[in-house]
Amino acid sequence: QVHLVESGGGLVQPGGSLTLACAASGRTFSSYTMAWFRQAPGKARDLVAFMSWSGGTTRYAESVKGRFTISRDNAKNTVYLQMFALQPEDTAVYYCAAARLAYPYNAENCDSWGQGTQVTVSS
């Protein structure tokens, strides 16, 4: 397993942008698919995006396509989530996750989790 620590959350106005980062420890980071999930109060933890170990495959939730971009730097053991045109419905705790499964569409598919970082979109 890998140890994950997220950073970069905060309060932003509608239409604004934020970049989240997730730093991983462990020499096997590059072998994991890395994902971002989010969980709003009273709701399930849903996939936002994931990227394969090579970066060759990415998937996004329909609600964030065209607004969010996932990327990774295997040399730095870090995965990023750039978020643009943020909307109030994007408000949630955002979690970084690592998965041995190639396509981790569900939280149950992931092996390691960060502690989460709060993103609040409000005027």
Side-chain angles (χ1 to χ4, degrees), residues 25-50:
S25 62
R27 292 179 291 176
T28 58
F29 171 80
S30 61
S31 66
Y32 284 88
T33 293
M34 296 302 298
W36 289 96
F37 284 75
R38 66 185 181 186
Q39 188 168 21
K43 294 190 176 181
R45 189 172 296 189
D46 293 328
L47 175 70
V48 175
F50 66 74

Side-chain angles (χ1 to χ4, degrees), residues 14-15 18 24 28-29 31 35 37 40 58 60 71 73 78 87 105 116-117 120:
L18 277 176
T28 58
F29 171 80
S31 66
F37 284 75
T58 57
Y60 294 91
S71 61
D73 186 336
T78 303
Q87 303 163 10
Y105 285 102
T117 186
T120 302

Side-chain angles (χ1 to χ4, degrees), residues 36-111:
W36 289 96
F37 284 75
R38 66 185 181 186
Q39 188 168 21
K43 294 190 176 181
R45 189 172 296 189
D46 293 328
L47 175 70
V48 175
F50 66 74
M51 174 174 276
S52 63
W53 67 271
S54 67
T57 299
T58 57
R59 296 289 187 270
Y60 294 91
E62 287 296 324
S63 60
V64 307
K65 277 184 180 178
R67 299 189 300 121
F68 290 13
T69 301
I70 188 171
S71 61
R72 66 189 293 167
D73 186 336
N74 287 342
K76 295 183 178 179
N77 279 12
T78 303
V79 61
Y80 304 94
L81 185 68
Q82 295 176 286
M83 304 183 292
F84 302 96
L86 283 160
Q87 303 163 10
E89 50 266 39
D90 295 315
T91 295
V93 178
Y94 283 70
Y95 295 91
C96 175
R100 295 186 182 277
L101 193 68
Y103 293 172
Y105 285 102
N106 300 304
E108 296 75 18
N109 299 147
C110 297
D111 301 288

